[in-house]
Amino acid sequence: MSIEDDYIEKALKAIRSGDSAKIDATAREIVGAFSSAIPHLANYRGSRLVGSGPDRHTQSDLRKLVGKLKVLREDRDRELYGPYGLETICEHINFLEDVLTSGIEGEELSKAYARIDSIYFEEYDSYSCGLSCEAYSPYEPCSDQTILRIEKLKCIRDKEMRQLRVAENQKTYVNMRQETTNSNSLESSVTVDIATTVSQIDSLPESSLGDNDKTLLKGMVADLAEKDGKKRETKLKKLLGWLSTKGTDVFIVVMPYILKIIESQMGK
């Protein structure tokens, strides 16, 4: 998840809790974290609440901050997911987040679910697992069910993104291979090397990958230089399994180097 996703989720939990202290603390944290990133944040009343005075951020204030974070996230999502036709999933995630804070219940909540479920239920086999719907599950509509749908859509979106990026990179490498058929060295035709990959791993934000995970990932990438084919294949499977638990941005950084390794194996 992005840092915007983290704070939106945290803010929604605070709003649902109704805890005034938690609402105030979360709002102050968001203002501090995004003071330079959110346009016109200085115009927001809560941005001027500092210290431990009697004035506090209200639930309404925090809702406004969530709205500003969503606008910021939408710009990022449009840039990241738009070229791959995944903006609709992002819009459905936003819709369910709005449902989460709207307070609707019962039949109205079921109707909101039906709007989303009708799109994903038939397309993705795992989507319905654990969800409430008259047709396939006894669970009652509630905030937990809304959150579960949001998480499922995020997983679907990121899985689709990974598959599309893999296909994109594979196509790129096929083209590179065709263009360098007469080359004496496969390595000379590949522009992505381990040093570049390590540099890109280091540049990942903390919200995407912590320092310990960065060190672990760089070690696994370096292990792919193993000359023994069977050992290298085992290390590659381990790396791919580990990457499947991480975000799309981490996967994108490492995938070109992985494809280089695969291509070098094919060339032998």
Side-chain angles (χ1 to χ4, degrees):
M1 286 196 302
S2 68
I3 188 171
E4 293 91 349
D5 283 321
D6 288 338
Y7 275 106
I8 288 172
E9 181 177 318
K10 187 173 184 178
L12 293 177
K13 286 181 180 178
I15 290 171
R16 292 199 312 278
S17 73
D19 185 325
S20 59
K22 184 180 294 186
I23 288 171
D24 180 61
T26 303
R28 289 173 186 267
E29 190 175 345
I30 291 172
V31 170
F34 293 93
S35 58
S36 61
I38 298 178
H40 312 299
L41 184 60
N43 297 333
Y44 161 66
R45 181 192 78 86
S47 67
R48 296 184 290 278
L49 297 181
V50 295
S52 56
D55 288 337
R56 285 190 168 193
H57 296 262
T58 65
Q59 195 173 72
S60 176
D61 290 334
L62 188 52
R63 288 180 190 276
K64 291 175 183 176
L65 281 175
V66 169
K68 291 179 181 294
L69 282 179
K70 283 187 174 184
V71 171
L72 188 65
R73 185 183 64 180
E74 284 170 10
D75 291 339
R76 175 186 60 83
D77 286 349
R78 190 177 300 111
E79 181 179 346
L80 180 61
Y81 298 108
Y84 299 94
L86 299 174
E87 274 193 274
T88 299
I89 300 181
C90 295
E91 291 170 1
H92 291 156
I93 291 170
N94 284 332
F95 169 75
L96 287 172
E97 287 173 344
D98 290 339
V99 166
L100 193 59
T101 58
S102 67
I104 64 172
E105 299 177 340
E107 185 177 349
E108 288 301 311
L109 186 54
S110 294
K111 287 180 180 179
Y113 289 169
R115 171 183 167 183
I116 303 299
D117 294 350
S118 63
I119 298 171
Y120 297 96
F121 179 58
E122 296 294 338
E123 188 70 21
Y124 299 95
D125 293 338
S126 63
Y127 177 77
S128 64
C129 182
L131 295 184
S132 61
C133 176
E134 184 177 346
Y136 53 84
S137 178
Y139 298 104
E140 291 295 326
C142 61
S143 60
D144 286 344
Q145 284 290 309
T146 308
I147 293 169
L148 182 57
R149 281 170 168 79
I150 292 171
E151 293 303 319
K152 282 178 176 288
L153 291 188
K154 287 180 179 179
C155 287
I156 289 172
R157 179 193 62 189
D158 290 349
K159 182 179 179 180
E160 292 282 358
M161 180 71 165
R162 283 194 289 269
Q163 290 175 339
L164 289 166
R165 286 306 300 262
V166 168
E168 183 180 67
N169 279 294
Q170 285 176 334
K171 182 179 179 181
T172 298
Y173 274 84
V174 167
N175 290 338
M176 288 174 62
R177 191 175 179 85
Q178 290 173 342
E179 292 171 0
T180 58
T181 301
N182 297 322
S183 174
N184 292 326
S185 172
L186 177 64
E187 292 182 359
S188 66
S189 70
V190 181
T191 59
V192 179
D193 58 21
I194 189 170
T196 301
T197 304
V198 167
S199 176
Q200 291 175 336
I201 292 171
D202 284 332
S203 69
L204 284 168
E206 182 73 19
S207 59
S208 296
L209 203 65
D211 288 339
N212 290 338
D213 277 343
K214 285 181 182 179
T215 300
L216 177 61
L217 177 55
K218 286 186 284 188
M220 288 191 287
V221 167
D223 284 345
L224 295 183
E226 168 67 52
K227 293 183 178 180
D228 185 286
K230 290 185 178 180
K231 290 182 179 180
R232 184 171 59 244
E233 183 178 354
T234 299
K235 294 177 185 295
L236 179 58
K237 288 180 179 179
K238 177 183 177 181
L239 173 57
L240 290 173
W242 187 85
L243 286 172
S244 69
T245 67
K246 304 302 176 184
T248 303
D249 48 353
V250 178
F251 190 84
I252 290 171
V253 162
V254 182
M255 198 59 206
Y257 185 68
I258 292 176
L259 288 172
K260 173 189 172 182
I261 296 297
I262 294 173
E263 186 179 10
S264 67
Q265 291 175 332
M266 291 171 61
K268 293 182 178 180

